[in-house]
Amino acid sequence: MSAVVQDRETSIVNAAPKQLYINGEWRDARSGNTLEVHDPSTGKVLCRVADASVEDGWDALHAAEAAQGEMAAMAPRKRAEILMRAFELMHQRKDDLALLMTLEMGKPLAEAAGEVVYAAEFFRHFAEEATRIGGNYQTAPAGNARFLIRKEPVGPSILITPWNFPLAMGTRKIGPAIAAGCTSVLKPAAQTPLSMLALAGILEEAGVPAGVVNILVTSNSGGVMEPLIRSGIARKLSFTGSTAVGKILLEQCADKVLRTSMELGGNAAFVVFEDADLDKAVEGAMLAKMRNSGEACTAANRMFIHRSVISPFAQKLAERMGELKVGRGVDEGIHVGPMVDATQRDKVADLVDDAVGAGAEVLLGGEPEGGEGFFYPPTVLKDVPRSARMWSEEIFGPVAPLTPFDAEDEVVDLVNDTEYGLVNYVYTNDLTRALRVAESIESGMVGLNQGVVSNPAAPFGGIKESGLGREGGETGIEEFLETKYIGIAMD
Ligand code: NAP
């Protein structure tokens, strides 16, 4: 690595905020504790960040509670302007934000820059939504009363986000919360706090009043968040993460009947029918599988390819995946960064070993990379038996498992044979079949002849154990609004 590149990495990390952001102030944890943030491409410590305890958590929640009245009263146009300013600042700082994200999470710089743009888009989208919150005034059926129906902010909200999209999973919640007039306490994953703390600086600069957004980083997420959730001071929990943790949080929310939005795990199928355009299907598979090096809830986890085309499809996919360059995300020309940590890399390796042990054929990769960092190479497995664990567990890595199918009914049953229901992808040139299959598939989203569905203007979310509620689109803001009905006597 050249000295110039090393200097830029060091200066970006040195300049990044490392304190908690509570009530508009940057401060250390009350205990003085800090936690380590690592670079997954080297395994080395990047820096230390304030590590909140439950006392800091209460400070953050009380700040959000105190600011709620002011936020609810803020003119929608003003909320929109703050969000637009934050959108512009994110674009201005795109390169710095991307480098910081790559350093703490590992994804290649080009992908990190893409995430900054995607994340900022939630602010623009919800800036536009903020001024369109509707209501109704209508006559009761008997004619003797009027119904006045208005939308009000749900109140202080707790937002919890994962490490795989360190910025976008936050803006997808903060954007609609601000647009709806809600204050919040956001807890990013301890592995990737730097991006969210940098975003707090941008929000402050964009004019977000003190207490409206509070950022809490902690190495003790369960211990710090549970009392806050159970207190009932926050009226809403919006969570993105694993289904296992989502279930624990749903139980905690039941105590005070909090509104919940749950964006949980996925087990996406990628189906290629015999009439599909194979080249387009391969390019779609590259996106559905390799976006974020496979560390995405939307990642294609099970690839069902019609028996008549599985061999050419597998060969083309292995060729394309074999062209990808693995390495430190900050380096030029890298397509696949490291897994986020050793646990994640070892889990991917275990799932591959299990599938190979069960009889899968390795067309590419199949062994973790040695040396420093947590790398796993692009891997293509063919004829993965349906007994393999990877059919039911999220791989969360750059591994494409292929298996043949013969008939439409059979593949629809296979796609639906999972407790998850986030997204599935279907490739076919037969329009009637495309619609028939899309309607039969049990998931919140379907990609028809496209390998990416995420779009801030579309309703993102899952059914079954993939979650509750939708983020983005017209519905995203509704998650942070309550409906109030005022009955008015007219006689
Ligand atoms: P995770 O372990 O569930 O963690 C998600 C967040 O929850 C992190 O901030 C984590 O903090 C926190 N957390 C963990 N235990 C907690 C507890 N007991 N109480 C409160 N907070 C707690 O998930 P992950 O491994 O980071 O992320 C990967 C998962 O997220 C995958 O299953 C993926 O499919 C899912 N995901 C879903 C979507 C979607 O939109 N549906 C999007 C992205 C990711 P710490 O890590 O600091 O403990």
Side-chain angles (χ1 to χ4, degrees), residues 368-393:
E369 311 248 334
E372 66 173 15
F374 311 119
F375 293 95
Y376 198 92
T379 292
V380 180
L381 303 177
K382 186 162 164 265
D383 298 329
V384 179
R386 290 178 196 155
S387 59
R389 276 170 47 210
M390 60 173 63
W391 289 130
S392 51
E393 290 178 36

Side-chain angles (χ1 to χ4, degrees), residues 160-165 169 172 187-191 218 221-222 225 239-243 245 248-249 263-266 297 394 396 422 460 466:
I160 301 180
T161 56
W163 49 262
N164 62 344
F165 291 96
M169 298 301 96
R172 200 158 81 164
K187 193 207 78 61
Q191 278 160 308
T218 176
S221 26
M225 300 314 287
F239 172 74
T240 298
S242 62
T243 295
V245 173
I248 294 170
L249 298 178
E263 295 289 348
L264 308 179
C297 53
E394 270 186 303
F396 243 57
L422 187 63
F460 186 104
S466 287

Side-chain angles (χ1 to χ4, degrees), residues 18-364:
K18 300 176 193 71
Q19 291 174 297
L20 308 175
Y21 183 65
I22 296 177
N23 205 17
E25 286 173 2
W26 293 96
R27 39 163 273 200
D28 291 331
R30 280 178 183 245
S31 63
N33 288 347
T34 55
L35 57 82
E36 290 177 348
V37 182
H38 296 92
D39 176 347
S41 68
T42 61
K44 295 190 179 123
V45 177
L46 273 178
C47 62
R48 302 189 70 94
V49 169
D51 183 3
S53 64
V54 74
E55 284 73 29
D56 303 299
W58 286 121
D59 291 344
L61 188 57
H62 288 138
E65 184 184 25
Q68 179 56 51
E70 180 193 354
M71 193 57 198
M74 186 187 281
R77 176 70 70 205
K78 175 100 184 347
R79 293 181 216 149
E81 282 167 357
I82 289 174
L83 286 171
M84 274 309 289
R85 180 81 188 116
F87 163 82
E88 285 156 6
L89 287 170
M90 285 180 77
H91 274 264
Q92 282 167 22
R93 316 262 162 89
K94 183 174 86 177
D95 292 346
D96 288 356
L97 288 168
L99 179 54
L100 196 60
M101 188 190 300
T102 293
L103 287 170
E104 68 173 345
M105 188 275 170
K107 71 179 70 183
L109 262 184
E111 277 203 63
E115 182 179 336
V116 176
V117 170
Y118 172 56
E121 201 55 40
F122 284 102
F123 284 166
R124 178 156 68 172
H125 174 75
F126 285 108
E128 289 161 352
E129 292 293 301
T131 55
R132 317 231 184 295
I133 298 170
N136 203 3
Y137 180 65
Q138 71 186 75
T139 305
N144 61 343
R146 300 289 179 270
F147 301 160
L148 187 59
I149 292 151
R150 68 181 237 109
K151 300 281 183 179
E152 297 182 351
V154 66
S157 302
I158 293 177
L159 317 175
I160 301 180
T161 56
W163 49 262
N164 62 344
F165 291 96
L167 267 183
M169 298 301 96
T171 57
R172 200 158 81 164
K173 299 182 190 303
I174 294 172
I178 290 180
C182 296
T183 61
S184 58
V185 175
L186 185 142
K187 193 207 78 61
Q191 278 160 308
T192 55
L194 298 176
S195 299
M196 198 43 63
L197 290 170
L199 184 75
I202 285 177
L203 289 170
E204 186 178 34
E205 221 177 307
V208 170
V212 168
V213 177
N214 304 275
I215 309 288
L216 207 57
V217 178
T218 176
S219 59
N220 177 18
S221 26
V224 170
M225 300 314 287
E226 181 171 358
L228 307 189
I229 294 168
R230 287 197 193 274
S231 73
I233 293 173
R235 293 308 312 151
K236 161 99 193 170
L237 173 73
S238 178
F239 172 74
T240 298
S242 62
T243 295
V245 173
K247 288 180 183 179
I248 294 170
L249 298 178
L250 275 172
E251 184 272 323
Q252 294 173 8
C253 289
D255 250 12
K256 291 282 174 15
V257 194
L258 267 56
R259 281 274 297 274
T260 57
S261 300
M262 293 277 155
E263 295 289 348
L264 308 179
N267 184 6
F270 189 93
V271 180
V272 181
F273 283 99
E274 64 278 22
D275 56 31
D277 178 325
L278 270 203
D279 289 332
K280 285 191 180 157
V282 169
E283 289 317 305
M286 292 294 292
L287 287 171
K289 181 71 257 179
M290 295 307 297
R291 182 168 174 246
N292 226 33
S293 305
E295 291 178 313
C297 53
T298 50
N301 208 65
R302 302 171 293 152
M303 295 192 166
F304 300 114
I305 317 297
H306 193 270
R307 194 177 299 279
S308 63
V309 294
I310 190 167
S311 290
F313 179 88
Q315 193 193 337
K316 282 172 194 251
L317 184 65
E319 271 168 24
R320 283 288 284 114
M321 283 184 53
E323 288 162 11
L324 300 179
K325 232 172 128 190
V326 181
R328 282 195 84 209
V330 289
D331 292 340
E332 191 92 350
I334 293 298
H335 306 103
V336 183
M339 302 288 90
V340 75
D341 57 22
T343 310
Q344 189 56 36
R345 179 203 51 203
D346 295 347
K347 185 189 153 199
V348 174
D350 271 1
L351 288 173
V352 170
D353 290 350
D354 168 76
V356 173
E361 182 189 349
V362 180
L363 298 188
L364 182 75

